[in-house]
Each structure stands twice: as structure tokens, then as C-alpha cells.
Amino acid sequence: MEILTSRERFNLLVFDEVPDRILVFPLITNHSAYISNYSIKDYYTKGEILAQAQINAYEVYQTDFLSVFSEVGIIAEALGSYFEYPEEDLPKLKKPLFSNLKDYCERKLDWEYNEGKGRFYLYFDAIKILYKTLGDILPILAYVPAPFTTLALLFEQTEILKEVSFPNREKRKILKELLSLITNFTIQFIKSIINYGALPIIVDPLASGSVISPKTYKNFAFPYEEKLINYLHRYDLDVILHICGNTQIYLKELNESTADLLSLDKINLISAKRFLGDKFRLIGNFDTTEILLLSPEEIRKKVRNLVLKMKDNKKGYILATGCEVPFSTPKENLFAFIEEGKRWGKYKF
Amino acid sequence: MRVDFSTWNELFQNIPERIIKRYKYYKRKEDWARYLSPPQTFAIYGMRHLMSLKFDSSLECLRLWGFVFNETERLFRAKQINKKIIAVMGDLGGIPPIIYSFKSLIGFYPDCLWWQPFFSENYNLFEITAKASFPETSCYSRVVYATFLKKAYFPKPDLIIASTGASCDDYSCVMQKINNLFYKNTQFIWLEIPPRKEKREGAIKLLKENYQKVAKILSEIAEEKLTMEKLILGIKRVNLIRRNYQKLKELVGRSEIAPLGSLEMLLLEFGNLHFYSDIFEWQKILLGILNLVKKRIKNNEGVLNKENKKIVWATPPADPLYLIYLEDNGARIVGSEYIINQALQIIPIEKYKNPFFALAESYLSASLIGKTKERAELIIKEIKKYQAKGVIISQIFGASHCAYETEILKEEIEEKARVPVLIIDIPHPSSEIPLQTKTRINAFIENL
Ligand code: SF4
């Protein structure tokens, strides 16, 4: 038995203290359904299944966080985009709420928040169970899509990406108004999550450098991420911002974020440490393809290298995968990742 | 108004940012020194019990809750800004006035961490103590050993002070085990506490010598000379807090409608011990609540029904849920004897030239250094003062020291004060009170 629970370890990290070891956090989401033999559809439509899958994953892997996440459409769906639910795949955007900005301007919308909208129940039911079962020893992270990602899922994606990339003055105004409405709605969702005992983690995958330019990020993603972060800071919570994909091209913009922990994906984390490490606790960023495909031995070697180079990050470091652990990742690979992370991530305590 | 967990989340939305950022500890300006957070913040960091409690809806009390629950972080921050941390165990009241006479010292009571398993509804600390061979049949305060081992609840102290002699037997074992843990690296001193039955002069002399010894060591640690003026100033500051608390307790106990809930009162009473590690901020928080209570009394406002029956509670319930349950079911707590009588007394500095004598004299009123009958007298005094209709004594399941006197207390109180006494056991941490205990509490209140 380790001397600290994951909660105690995380608390020390956010107090700027050095815990017994780094926290280890492969982003296990629907992979927990895989090892539990649950259908993916049950996982993303039934809170009790999502919770049980996470509990099972914890029992198998002994990671330091629990994750409540299905896919990034949760808010867009609550706002009216239509998703279909395949049996063995994640929800798919079937019909976005709007076809284009003109369509948005012509229609009146119901932006009123309530907890019964869309699949919000999935999160709340899962958080309640997880909090009651393991909330004393493990932090529960609930993934909240940031406004830009939700915006992209309210429209035909190619349409909206065109609009945000080359907006004229009028369209910029409309986009900003829309993003503000999404932000307010998202804040209400965050408020509920907080009330059930989970720590919201802001995810903005469609604001990735693989999808948009630094300029678009600065104009349409960053300011709204910041509004969510500010809201969470009112509670004095430590805010995690996760951006998947390539963020190398807007490191400068990221450095202006007021988040406390940055979870990064496709980036040279070791060199990013020099630039971001004095300000942020860094989380990342083992390649998710590698965790799926490499042998356990290769994984061990790479984890060791990453941990030894990152564990001295000034504001602290959490070993994680760059993004979600792929659904059918072999258990042995995750065991190798976690064991090695814990072994090399020890501090003098 | 008393509100539940979710309602506080709603109310918190209306608090402007400038107010949230206004309250900081250690007179610091940095953002990390903020503490005005709603119960949700602490629940997210693991304090699960908060979801079942009820809270006063005032800003003053939000400040109180935020401050109390921020203490662990505050202690780590204290160390980070080069303050020296002094852990005081067992004495409960006599040493902090000396510690807080130094600029760079912060004193705290690890003893108070016995609440931790209850607030987090978690057994981990008990599991650790079990591994270290603590028996199940000892006080919950044994978890303090586990908190020392974990180093996650407070930074490594620069000095640990423990007490022996007329001290709690259960806690004495805990302190001995902690002593073994820290033998090599941390300065650890034992102080002897005399029993009250010893000749008064002898007891005062021993305590005075103890305090002088502590002051000398503290002076070395702080690298600061402790002049008599500084000590007197420190004691005056403590007296101001104790006086304000006394006023508050009287106002709350005597008012027709309870202007403050019993859980907030318990937090305030325990604030007399070590001021939750920041005496200056604590002073302001207490004053804010005192003014709030005065205002409420003037406006005839309260947090409970007027009909709630008055009772005195003896021995602090390790689990705060019991206080809420009691209030929800028709009672109110007007008086208390939480075994820290020594921390509630005004230190008589006017009476002595040497302030160490004053500290020693005030310590002689300690709850647990005399006969059980004397503790019963303290409770009876509270009953009479506030015209209470009954007494509840909570026992720690498996504890020996204070628990073994419970039956004697009951006999004394029933005979001398002629009010019924209910004894309840506080079981291990849980999100619910056992049904049987609920029934007993309900029946007791009904019959008052
Ligand atoms: S509650 Fe009683 S047994 Fe426990 S430490 Fe205090 S005096 Fe000792």
C-alpha cells in the first residue's frame, strides 16, 4: 500500500509541494468499457455503466484520477445538435443544429440551461456514483468541452471552420455573440458538475493546432477558454486545460492562459517545459498510437525517458497520455505505462 | 438562514469577484492566500461530508468555513514563506499565546485532525493506524499519527510539543508513537501537566517553568528575543479573541431564537485553540460573526425555530452531522463543554507581573486535569446559565479517557441539575447517522 492516496498526492501538488511521486494519469475513458465488457453505447448513455467501468478500471490499473467523459459533443447535443448512437462506436454528429451562420441568425433558440438537457444526466449520474464510491481517495475529473469545440459541433464543420478562419466584421460579431451564449451555457453545466463533486477539466480538441491557426485560436477559442477558467477560479479550483492534437504552433498563446495545469498532446513536451514549466503544472504526453501499438518493453523505455526528463518541472508534472487511451489498448501496455511511471516518478519524500 | 450544500452553490454565484478576492490570510497579497471558497471547493478536494451538512447563509460564515477548511493549505504556504511551524499536542490552550507572540511562528494542533476521516468519510487514516498496531479500542484521535506519517496534512514541524502527566491516556499513546517517528530529525519536547488536585502553587510553578522552557526554545527557533512586552501583547491579543468568543457564546445561548447554528459555534469555539493558524485573520472573522449575531438579535432573526429545545452538549462529537441532525429535529445547543475549557479563559495578566504565571493560572481551569465531578460542575453551570432542558454527551467509540467518565457525569448532572442526560456513541465515519441513534435522539428531544 502506498502511503498517500491519490487525493492527498494531488492536493500536495496543487499546494506547490512535492508529493511521494508524480501522479499517473493515462486518460482512460471508453477503454474502461472495453476492459469491463460493456458496450460503448451503454457506456455513453448510462451513467451507472460509465461509473462502474471507471471503478473497474481503477481496480485493474490503480491510476490517480477517475474520468467522466463520453465525447466532446455533450454540450452541442444539449443545445440541439442531433447525435446518433451507434452500438459499438461513440455518438456521431448526425445533424448539427445550424447549417450556417445565416441559419443561426434566422432562428430563435432556447439557451435556457437545465440539468435534464441532452445527455447531461450521464455525467451527473456517473459523478454521483463515483464520488460516493471512490471520491474520498481519488479526484474525479469531468471533461467539459470548451466553447469553441461546442461551436464547431453546432454547425456543419467545414462551414464553421471557413467562417472562423476568414470572418468579416459582421460575422466576427455574430460569432462572438454566439460564443458568449455557449460560454454562459457551459458555465451552468460546470456549476452543476462542481455541485456533484467533480473537478471540471476543460477540453478544446477542435481548437487544436491541427485544425485552426494561432490567429483563430486567439480570436475565437482562447478568450472563451479563459472565461471558463475565470469562473473556476472563483471557486479557487485548480484548472486543467487539455488541448489535443498539435499545439506546438501556438505555444506563445498557450503561455498566456491562466489555467493552472496544461495537458498537452502532440508537442515536444520536454522542450515545452522550458517555456511553460515555470508557470504551469504540465500533464502529458505519451503518444496514444504508441500506447496501443508498441510492446510493453518499448513503452517502459519511453515512459522512463519521459518521466526522468519531466519530473523536475518547476510547477510539477503529471504523467499522462497525450489524449484518450485507445479503446482496445492491451492491458499489458497500460500496466507497463503505469508501473514504470510510478517507479521512475518517485520523489524524495 | 441555514442552507444546504446546493443552495450555497447558488448563493455563491452572487458574490462579486472583488469580495472573493478581498479575504486573504497572513496579510498576503498573492492570489494563493485567498480563502473565501464555498463548501463545493472543499468537497471537490475530498471533504465529502460537506454535502450532508447545513450551513449559515451569511458571508461572515462563508468566510469562517473557507478559513477553517483552508488550514492545511495555509500551513504549507506558511512554511513556503519561511514561517516556522510548531505542532502543539495535548495541551490545548496554554502554549499558543506564547507562539503567537513571535512574528515568524505559526502554531497548530494536529489533534484537531481527528475530524479528517469524518469530513472525508474515509477510513484510510484508520487503516494506517491499524497497521501501526493501534487498537480499534482507542480514541479517533489516533489518526493524528497517520497524518504525521503521511506528511500531507501539514508541513514538517520545526518543533513538536507533547504533553504528559495529567493528559489524556489515549492521546498519550498517540504522542509517544509520533515521538518515535520523529526522534531523529525534529526537535520534540514533552511538557508535564500537573493535575489540579496538586497544591495550586506547585502546579502553577510547574506550568510556569514549562512555559518559560518552551519560550526559550521558541526564541531560538524564531531567532527572535521574546521580551515581556511582546508576550503581554501576544496574550492581550489572545484575550481579545477569548473575550469576543465569550460574548458571542452568551449572546447566542441567551437569545430567544438561535442566531447561529451549533456547527458554526463549534468551529468558533475551537478557534480559541490555535486561531486556525492565523491569529490576525481569525480575530477579524470572529468579530464579523459577533457583529452579525448582534444584528440578528436586534432584528429578532434566527436560524432555527423558536420552539427548538435548549440543550447543552458535552465532549465534541467527532462527526458534525450529529449537530445538524439535532437542530433539524427540534433542539438547539445553548451550552457546550468540548473539553477545552482552558482555551476559553481570560488569561489574568493584570494579576501577575510575570505573564508566565498568568498563563499557568489560566491553564488550571483545563477540563481534563481534575476530578470528573469538576467537569460535571462546568456542564451544570452551562445548564443553569442558559436554562437548558437536557444534556447530550457524545462518546468516542472505543476511547477510554474522556469516555470512561461519561457515566459519572450523567449521574452528577441528573442528580444536581435535575435534567435528563442522553449518552450517544459516535461510530466510525459514515454519511449517515445509525437509525437507532436517530431514534434515541428524537425520543430524547420529544421528552424534554
Ligand atoms: S476525545 Fe477523549 S479520549 Fe479522545 S483525545 Fe480527547 S480526551 Fe482523549
Side-chain angles (χ1 to χ4, degrees):
Chain A
M1 188 167 109
E2 293 185 292
I3 186 70
L4 296 184
T5 65
S6 303
R7 265 214 185 282
E8 290 162 342
R9 195 169 287 125
F10 184 57
N11 288 355
L12 282 175
L13 181 79
V14 300
F15 298 162
D16 290 314
E17 291 290 320
V18 180
D20 57 339
R21 62 162 169 83
I22 57 165
L23 288 116
V24 178
F25 174 42
L27 276 69
I28 295 175
T29 52
N30 57 41
H31 170 74
S32 64
Y34 171 71
I35 58 160
S36 308
N37 282 328
Y38 294 143
S39 81
I40 302 196
K41 186 174 175 182
D42 279 349
Y43 181 82
Y44 64 72
T45 54
K46 295 177 182 156
E48 67 278 14
I49 296 287
L50 194 158
Q52 191 53 53
Q54 283 292 315
I55 293 166
N56 297 344
Y58 170 69
E59 278 165 4
V60 172
Y61 296 122
Q62 301 284 303
T63 57
D64 285 317
F65 294 91
L66 296 166
S67 292
V68 176
F69 181 57
S70 61
E71 85 302 325
V72 289
I74 191 111
I75 294 179
E77 185 183 37
L79 284 170
S81 280
Y82 179 71
F83 284 73
E84 65 176 5
Y85 300 162
E87 274 307 323
E88 285 308 330
D89 203 352
L90 288 169
K92 288 229 159 22
L93 179 62
K94 178 93 176 154
K95 192 170 179 330
L97 183 57
F98 309 111
S99 39
N100 49 39
L101 275 188
K102 190 164 163 270
D103 183 23
Y104 160 70
C105 295
E106 283 167 7
R107 280 161 56 187
K108 265 233 160 285
L109 278 172
D110 169 23
W111 293 95
E112 193 127 321
Y113 173 84
N114 71 61
E115 291 192 357
K117 286 209 159 174
R119 265 177 309 131
F120 283 167
Y121 69 87
L122 174 76
Y123 269 50
F124 305 144
D125 289 351
I127 294 169
K128 273 190 261 178
I129 296 168
L130 290 173
Y131 192 74
K132 204 167 170 39
T133 320
L134 288 168
D136 53 338
I137 53 168
L138 284 162
I140 301 158
L141 301 181
Y143 297 45
V144 176
F148 184 84
T149 289
T150 298
L151 173 88
L153 294 166
L154 287 174
F155 291 85
E156 294 292 351
Q157 255 180 51
T158 41
E159 278 290 319
I160 195 71
L161 289 177
K162 234 185 331 179
E163 302 280 19
V164 293
S165 303
F166 312 103
N168 58 29
R169 185 183 288 193
E170 194 194 335
K171 285 195 174 163
R172 178 191 295 263
K173 201 172 146 226
I174 298 168
L175 282 165
K176 296 226 160 191
E177 171 202 289
L178 182 51
L179 277 161
S180 291
L181 288 168
I182 297 171
T183 305
N184 292 342
F185 191 83
T186 308
I187 282 176
Q188 296 299 312
F189 182 45
I190 286 179
K191 188 178 103 191
S192 300
I193 288 173
I194 287 174
N195 203 44
Y196 290 113
L199 180 64
I201 153 170
I202 299 167
V203 294
D204 213 353
L206 294 171
S208 147
S210 333
V211 185
I212 57 172
S213 69
K215 193 170 161 218
T216 307
Y217 176 75
K218 205 173 169 181
N219 282 334
F220 296 112
F222 179 80
Y224 305 95
E225 284 170 2
E226 281 301 297
K227 286 198 172 144
L228 302 188
I229 295 168
N230 285 346
Y231 179 76
L232 287 161
H233 277 162
R234 280 174 54 86
Y235 285 84
D236 203 14
L237 293 171
D238 280 70
V239 185
I240 309 177
L241 175 65
H242 171 76
I243 305 186
C244 358
N246 187 348
T247 38
Q248 194 82 43
I249 56 168
Y250 49 79
L251 270 188
K252 208 172 106 237
E253 285 75 12
L254 272 182
N255 201 19
E256 273 160 36
S257 170
T258 55
D260 306 280
L261 299 97
L262 273 188
S263 165
L264 302 171
D265 186 7
K266 302 218 180 298
I267 191 169
N268 181 338
L269 199 61
I270 295 155
S271 70
K273 181 177 101 173
R274 259 174 265 134
F275 192 60
L276 303 168
D278 283 2
K279 184 173 171 195
F280 302 100
R281 313 182 203 293
L282 294 175
I283 306 178
N285 72 339
F286 198 90
D287 191 289
T288 45
T289 317
E290 291 186 343
I291 202 144
L292 176 70
L293 300 175
L294 292 186
S295 71
E297 271 328 298
E298 288 167 311
I299 291 172
R300 280 182 197 278
K301 234 165 86 188
K302 289 201 160 208
V303 166
R304 178 183 160 183
N305 185 40
L306 180 63
V307 168
L308 290 179
K309 292 205 166 116
M310 289 302 300
K311 68 187 271 197
D312 66 345
N313 185 48
K314 186 162 176 234
K315 290 289 280 179
Y317 171 62
I318 296 177
L319 170 68
T321 43
C323 199
E324 286 176 85
V325 168
F327 180 69
S328 54
T329 301
K331 275 187 190 172
E332 300 67 42
N333 290 11
L334 273 166
F335 285 137
F337 177 91
I338 293 159
E339 270 173 32
E340 218 61 5
K342 288 182 180 176
R343 176 183 307 160
W344 296 104
K346 286 202 172 64
Y347 293 113
K348 193 166 171 275
F349 187 62
Chain B
M1 244 202 346
R2 261 179 2 137
V3 296
D4 65 9
F5 181 79
S6 296
T7 310
W8 241 126
N9 200 24
E10 295 302 327
L11 293 174
F12 187 67
Q13 310 306 313
N14 305 325
I15 299 183
E17 189 127 341
R18 76 188 147 76
I19 297 208
I20 293 175
K21 291 191 167 168
R22 178 188 294 165
Y23 301 113
K24 302 210 167 141
Y25 53 82
Y26 298 147
K27 301 180 181 166
R28 302 290 293 205
K29 295 223 165 20
E30 294 92 334
D31 204 49
W32 53 251
R34 281 170 48 183
Y35 65 85
L36 192 80
S37 305
Q40 278 67 23
T41 303
F42 304 105
I44 284 178
Y45 286 116
M47 295 300 199
R48 299 196 293 182
H49 221 36
L50 291 173
M51 286 196 183
S52 315
L53 302 181
K54 288 194 178 149
F55 312 86
D56 191 289
S57 63
S58 63
L59 179 65
E60 288 82 351
C61 287
L62 182 67
R63 201 175 161 193
L64 165 73
W65 280 98
F67 191 70
V68 169
F69 276 94
N70 174 278
E71 192 182 6
T72 289
E73 174 168 2
R74 187 155 59 247
L75 286 167
F76 281 108
R77 298 292 181 196
K79 190 91 178 185
Q80 287 164 11
I81 55 169
N82 297 322
K83 296 210 180 256
K84 298 280 166 37
I85 308 295
I86 315 296
V88 193
M89 294 191 291
D91 116 295
L92 299 175
I95 308 279
I98 311 175
I99 296 176
Y100 283 97
S101 299
F102 291 92
K103 263 201 206 112
S104 63
L105 300 186
I106 299 290
F108 79 103
Y109 278 99
D111 319 25
C112 293
L113 280 159
W114 77 327
W115 288 65
Q116 181 65 29
F118 293 91
F119 272 107
S120 56
E121 296 172 4
N122 169 260
Y123 283 81
N124 182 262
L125 293 174
F126 287 121
E127 282 161 16
I128 304 238
T129 47
K131 282 217 163 97
S133 314
F134 279 91
E136 279 262 329
T137 49
S138 58
C139 177
Y140 295 150
S141 58
R142 65 184 187 271
V143 300
V144 174
Y145 171 81
T147 62
F148 269 97
L149 209 61
K150 278 176 176 271
K151 303 179 205 158
Y153 293 88
F154 46 83
K156 190 165 171 264
D158 294 278
L159 170 71
I160 301 173
I161 303 172
S163 48
T164 180
S167 173
C168 164
D169 310 327
D170 290 56
Y171 202 56
S172 208
C173 303
V174 178
M175 291 186 280
Q176 285 170 41
K177 282 263 206 189
I178 294 168
N179 190 177
N180 295 340
L181 270 181
F182 280 87
Y183 180 63
K184 285 186 193 97
N185 306 319
T186 303
Q187 206 177 346
F188 199 112
I189 53 168
W190 287 90
L191 297 181
E192 189 188 342
I193 296 182
R196 205 165 19 234
K197 71 171 189 275
E198 212 173 73
K199 271 207 178 120
R200 199 175 164 79
E201 296 74 41
I204 289 185
K205 189 169 168 277
L206 177 66
L207 283 166
K208 183 215 145 210
E209 282 164 10
N210 276 342
Y211 293 145
Q212 278 176 323
K213 178 175 151 193
V214 169
K216 194 166 168 277
I217 298 171
L218 291 175
S219 200
E220 283 160 19
I221 292 174
E223 296 174 25
E224 182 187 335
K225 197 169 173 254
L226 181 66
T227 60
M228 284 302 142
E229 291 71 37
K230 273 190 201 168
L231 181 58
I232 289 170
L233 202 70
I235 291 175
K236 280 187 176 163
R237 201 175 295 126
V238 170
N239 275 348
L240 181 67
I241 287 174
R242 292 183 179 180
R243 238 180 233 116
N244 279 341
Y245 176 72
Q246 284 179 352
K247 272 189 219 158
L248 179 75
K249 191 171 178 184
E250 287 225 22
L251 284 173
V252 172
R254 290 188 199 276
S255 68
E256 210 178 324
I257 314 173
L260 207 61
S262 57
L263 192 45
E264 278 83 10
M265 280 304 287
L266 181 135
L267 297 180
L268 288 156
E269 181 154 337
F270 276 82
N272 285 294
L273 287 178
H274 67 284
F275 329 109
Y276 296 107
S277 313
D278 181 350
I279 192 166
F280 295 102
E281 197 58 25
W282 180 246
Q283 214 170 315
K284 292 185 210 156
I285 292 169
L286 176 61
L287 192 63
I289 292 181
L290 180 60
N291 289 334
L292 170 81
V293 162
K294 282 181 186 164
K295 206 164 96 194
R296 282 183 176 169
I297 292 173
K298 196 168 151 220
N299 299 337
N300 210 18
E301 285 167 6
V303 293
L304 301 173
N305 286 332
K306 201 172 165 184
E307 296 73 37
N308 277 28
K309 291 167 184 164
K310 295 176 173 181
I311 66 144
V312 168
W313 193 292
T315 309
D319 186 342
L321 201 54
Y322 286 74
L323 302 181
I324 300 294
Y325 185 78
L326 192 84
E327 291 180 334
D328 280 349
N329 287 278
R332 67 179 271 210
I333 297 172
V334 286
S336 55
E337 208 302 295
Y338 291 146
I339 338 186
I340 54 169
N341 194 44
Q342 64 274 34
L344 311 182
Q345 306 307 312
I346 304 301
I347 303 159
I349 30 172
E350 285 79 24
K351 198 169 151 190
Y352 295 97
K353 260 201 184 131
N354 182 335
F356 288 113
F357 276 118
L359 279 170
E361 182 177 314
S362 108
Y363 190 79
L364 282 187
S365 58
S367 299
L368 282 183
I369 62 168
K371 292 184 196 142
T372 303
K373 285 190 176 178
E374 289 169 352
R375 192 165 167 234
E377 277 309 315
L378 288 177
I379 300 169
I380 292 167
K381 237 165 105 184
E382 293 277 293
I383 298 168
K384 291 192 175 147
K385 189 167 178 185
Y386 300 114
Q387 293 159 1
K389 300 275 175 275
V391 175
I392 294 185
I393 309 177
S394 50
Q395 296 201 111
I396 310 311
F397 185 73
S400 60
H401 192 87
C402 60
Y404 270 75
E405 63 175 23
T406 309
E407 283 298 335
I408 311 173
L409 287 176
K410 180 174 157 71
E411 264 173 39
E412 275 295 297
I413 296 164
E414 285 182 339
E415 192 194 314
K416 295 203 174 132
R418 306 234 160 258
V419 297
V421 176
L422 173 72
I423 298 172
I424 52 169
D425 270 328
I426 306 288
H428 277 94
S430 159
S431 57
E432 295 230 24
I433 298 174
L435 194 62
Q436 198 198 19
T437 313
K438 283 185 179 173
T439 316
R440 290 181 62 214
I441 293 176
N442 290 349
F444 179 73
I445 297 171
E446 228 166 79
N447 288 325
L448 289 179

